[in-house]
Amino acid sequence: MSILKMKFVSIVGLNEYFDDFVLKYIVDSGMQLENALSYLETVKGLTPYDGNNPYYDLVTRSTALVNAMGLKKELKESTDSTRQIYDSADEIRSDIAKLEEEYRGHSEHLEKTKEMLNKCIHMEKQLELLANLDVDIKAFFNFEFIKFRFGKMPRKSYEQLQLMSNDLEAIAIPVSQEKDFIWLIYFTPRNFSEKVDGIFSSLYFERTRISDEVQGTPSQALRQVRDKITSLRSEMKDAEKAIRDFTSKHREKAINLYYSSMRLNRVSEVRKYAAHTMKSFYIIGWMPEKELNRLIPILDKDEKIIYIHKEPDTEKLSHPPTELKNNRIFRPFETLVRMYGLPSYNEVDPTPFVALTYFLMFGFMFGDVGQGLVILAGGIFMLFKLKIAFGGVILGAGISSTLFGFVYGSVFGFEDWLPPLWMNPMHDINTMLIAGIGMGMALIIVAMVLNIVNGIKAHDLASIFLDKNGIPGFVFYLGGIVSVVYFYLNNKLMVSAGITAAILLIPILLMFFKEPIENFIHKRKAIAQSKGVFFVQTFFELFDVVLSFLSNTISFIRLSAFALNHVGLFMAVFILAEMASGFGSVVAIIIGNILIIGLEGLIVGIQGLRLEYYELFSRFFTGNGKPYKPLKKQYFS
């Protein structure tokens, strides 16, 4: 439940050692590279490496090979770190060439067989039209006055042919169709055959000479074609089996070549960020602290390089990337955080806070044991069957809905099946409304505490002691709440009016004079603009702050409103069910539950997000973090 700790690393080594060093220590590391030229402007003679990638062909060829072999899915699922890795580009090229040649042979044979089979199938359809003719097939194709042609043309060409059919000295009859082609026969007088053949040729007509393939009468030719179709289908199965056997035999080798190619390609990627002088290379970037600690003893023994590492706080030119690090329970809720933005490196990871608050708010608004179990089942299916991370959020929402269903005593809208552990929302509406606002107050207070913690981590004193979400805002808001609640319950102030006024006014003054105090500390002019403008502008800004505390708090009344709305919708469903009779009432209840789960469940989920983003995140979370893209993962596809 934290952010992965990073360190800034600078490495300098001998130029001729660059490729070997990168292959040994960098390409498989969790290092996120930074542009060396941007950080080492003072180094004389520093230049970038050229942009040529000597391993580009390896990447494209190995990728094409594994895709052709149908191994793309296995690449995504492969996590075996012990697989064989080639470091020699020449060896990889040689092995890829051998596999390409063998696969090409099988593939070309299969495609040729498919093409011949397709041709025979269309010939069969043509011969079926001529089967009753008692004439030699060769004579049929050599009429004295008419020429006869059989073949295929693209669909678009056939559409053009139909437009000119009235002016064409030929009769075209479609025989069969494919996705992109129309098979047809056409007859034309011999006097016009040259012209007509030219027109058909311009429309990309591909002629098939049946008389060259078969002999005898059309019925005899039909039997020959059908025998050939049977033979070709058997041959095609053998060709497909040969490809499957090839894939099975060379699966691991092809994947190893792919990973080896990608690994070598990362050397070129490192060159894009690295820089060099006549003698030395420079590589800089961010690396996880634990990984760096494991690498340091190895680097200390390497005499060809020197390195330094810094804490993130000491590096001013670059901000460390953010990698969220949560346990399995909270990890699915990272999706909700990333939708808003990543926390900066020195910010608190809000994922646990989101997981707990979203869990509570969803169940509070949508409490029903039966419907909660349905949502829970959907979340389990998404998470474990479909492997969708967001399914974990749905699963958590289902658990919350189920638990609050016991609290409210509701099962598929029926409120007399279970005794409520607390109360039914409709039976005590005032208590329900107060509970929603009370939960909102508690969450706003926690959000301000998180902002104070962020200020401490970032060493931002103004955020801690002067900000509306820092200590002044915290004291003002909590003091105001306690004072109002105590006065409401006891009809008197908890402390004297003077102390109460001090608790409320001192934070307001600190927030009011935030800018002058900051300027004074940094030895700048206290009020940059005219005093009149400052006081008017700051007054209205502070007035807006006070109103925002009130509006943000009242906004949480939607928690109670949706809980009441949930019950109200079921009341409508049961009224409709009573209007129906027998089986119709059961159908009405089932359809009502489906609609409420689908529509209201979606609305409640969105409202929960709205409260997270607008009422809570806005108080402590910037979302300006830079995503962590380690070299070992960045270039795999």
Side-chain angles (χ1 to χ4, degrees), residues 119-244:
K119 181 179 176 181
C120 286
I121 289 172
H122 291 287
M123 286 174 58
E124 178 188 29
K125 293 179 180 179
Q126 166 64 26
L127 290 169
E128 285 173 349
L129 300 175
L130 310 175
N132 295 326
L133 295 177
D134 186 17
V135 62
D136 187 272
I137 199 76
K138 291 187 181 295
F140 186 82
F141 281 90
N142 290 280
F143 292 133
E144 183 176 354
F145 299 107
I146 295 176
K147 278 199 172 183
F148 169 82
R149 299 283 186 262
F150 169 65
K152 66 178 181 179
M153 68 166 48
R155 280 184 175 273
K156 290 185 177 180
S157 297
Y158 182 70
E159 292 170 1
Q160 293 177 359
L161 179 68
Q162 289 180 305
L163 294 176
M164 62 175 67
S165 59
N166 293 333
D167 301 323
L168 193 66
E169 291 83 359
I171 299 173
I173 304 172
V175 177
S176 56
Q177 302 182 17
E178 292 179 354
K179 181 180 179 181
D180 299 317
F181 291 93
I182 300 290
W183 287 79
L184 54 86
I185 56 176
Y186 71 85
F187 300 89
T188 181
R190 187 173 289 274
N191 295 341
F192 299 102
S193 62
E194 186 174 343
K195 174 186 173 184
V196 171
D197 287 345
I199 293 173
F200 272 80
S201 177
S202 68
L203 294 173
Y204 305 102
F205 177 79
E206 298 178 28
R207 183 182 177 188
T208 297
R209 297 178 181 274
I210 298 179
S211 59
D212 292 343
E213 305 286 341
V214 293
Q215 55 187 356
T217 64
S219 60
Q220 292 172 334
L222 185 60
R223 287 194 295 272
Q224 295 171 32
V225 169
R226 286 173 174 169
D227 290 341
K228 192 168 184 179
I229 286 173
T230 302
S231 174
L232 287 171
R233 282 176 173 158
S234 176
E235 188 176 345
M236 192 170 75
K237 288 181 180 178
D238 292 339
E240 289 172 343
K241 183 178 183 301
I243 290 178
R244 288 196 300 270

Side-chain angles (χ1 to χ4, degrees), residues 341-354:
L342 277 174
S344 299
Y345 182 78
N346 284 324
E347 279 189 308
V348 173
D349 177 10
T351 305
F353 176 77
V354 170

Side-chain angles (χ1 to χ4, degrees), residues 462 466 509-531 534-535 538 541:
L466 302 173
L509 290 173
L510 287 172
M511 290 185 282
F512 190 90
F513 290 104
K514 176 184 177 182
E515 182 182 341
I517 294 173
E518 280 189 279
N519 290 338
F520 177 77
I521 292 172
H522 293 96
K523 298 180 179 179
R524 297 192 295 261
K525 185 178 179 181
I527 300 176
Q529 68 270 47
S530 69
K531 293 180 181 180
F534 166 76
F535 280 103
T538 308
E541 287 177 355

Side-chain angles (χ1 to χ4, degrees), residues 81-361:
S81 59
T82 62
R83 63 174 65 258
Q84 180 185 353
I85 297 296
Y86 300 73
D87 285 334
S88 168
D90 292 337
E91 186 179 359
I92 294 174
R93 283 192 181 90
S94 174
D95 284 0
I96 288 177
K98 291 176 183 177
L99 292 182
E100 284 176 333
E101 184 178 1
E102 186 175 349
Y103 181 81
R104 191 183 302 113
H106 293 304
S107 179
E108 288 177 353
H109 176 61
L110 176 61
E111 290 302 316
K112 185 177 179 182
T113 305
K114 282 183 177 179
E115 185 178 349
M116 292 173 62
L117 176 61
N118 185 51
K119 181 179 176 181
C120 286
I121 289 172
H122 291 287
M123 286 174 58
E124 178 188 29
K125 293 179 180 179
Q126 166 64 26
L127 290 169
E128 285 173 349
L129 300 175
L130 310 175
N132 295 326
L133 295 177
D134 186 17
V135 62
D136 187 272
I137 199 76
K138 291 187 181 295
F140 186 82
F141 281 90
N142 290 280
F143 292 133
E144 183 176 354
F145 299 107
I146 295 176
K147 278 199 172 183
F148 169 82
R149 299 283 186 262
F150 169 65
K152 66 178 181 179
M153 68 166 48
R155 280 184 175 273
K156 290 185 177 180
S157 297
Y158 182 70
E159 292 170 1
Q160 293 177 359
L161 179 68
Q162 289 180 305
L163 294 176
M164 62 175 67
S165 59
N166 293 333
D167 301 323
L168 193 66
E169 291 83 359
I171 299 173
I173 304 172
V175 177
S176 56
Q177 302 182 17
E178 292 179 354
K179 181 180 179 181
D180 299 317
F181 291 93
I182 300 290
W183 287 79
L184 54 86
I185 56 176
Y186 71 85
F187 300 89
T188 181
R190 187 173 289 274
N191 295 341
F192 299 102
S193 62
E194 186 174 343
K195 174 186 173 184
V196 171
D197 287 345
I199 293 173
F200 272 80
S201 177
S202 68
L203 294 173
Y204 305 102
F205 177 79
E206 298 178 28
R207 183 182 177 188
T208 297
R209 297 178 181 274
I210 298 179
S211 59
D212 292 343
E213 305 286 341
V214 293
Q215 55 187 356
T217 64
S219 60
Q220 292 172 334
L222 185 60
R223 287 194 295 272
Q224 295 171 32
V225 169
R226 286 173 174 169
D227 290 341
K228 192 168 184 179
I229 286 173
T230 302
S231 174
L232 287 171
R233 282 176 173 158
S234 176
E235 188 176 345
M236 192 170 75
K237 288 181 180 178
D238 292 339
E240 289 172 343
K241 183 178 183 301
I243 290 178
R244 288 196 300 270
D245 292 343
F246 170 85
T247 300
S248 177
K249 180 180 178 182
H250 299 292
R251 172 183 283 104
E252 287 302 315
K253 187 171 186 179
I255 293 176
N256 290 341
L257 289 169
Y258 171 84
Y259 277 101
S260 300
S261 300
M262 288 294 183
R263 188 169 178 272
L264 281 177
N265 184 57
R266 291 204 209 109
V267 177
S268 293
E269 296 296 337
V270 174
R271 287 178 183 271
K272 293 179 183 178
Y273 292 89
H276 68 99
T277 59
M278 293 292 292
K279 295 182 178 180
S280 305
F281 69 79
Y282 296 80
I283 299 173
I284 61 174
W286 294 98
M287 184 175 283
E289 186 178 56
K290 286 186 177 180
E291 185 173 340
L292 179 62
N293 290 339
R294 290 194 299 268
L295 189 61
I296 282 175
I298 301 172
L299 296 179
D300 286 339
K301 296 177 183 178
D302 196 326
E303 298 179 353
K304 297 180 182 178
I305 62 106
I306 57 174
Y307 70 93
I308 59 171
H309 57 83
K310 301 178 183 178
E311 293 294 334
D313 292 343
T314 62
E315 176 53 43
K316 304 302 181 184
L317 296 178
S318 175
H319 299 291
T322 300
E323 175 71 357
L324 302 180
K325 188 180 178 184
N326 291 284
N327 58 37
R328 294 180 63 185
I329 296 175
F330 294 148
R331 196 174 302 138
F333 290 88
E334 290 178 2
T335 306
L336 303 184
V337 175
R338 294 178 190 276
M339 286 168 62
Y340 189 91
L342 277 174
S344 299
Y345 182 78
N346 284 324
E347 279 189 308
V348 173
D349 177 10
T351 305
F353 176 77
V354 170
L356 294 173
T357 55
Y358 194 79
F359 180 88
L360 289 173
M361 289 190 293

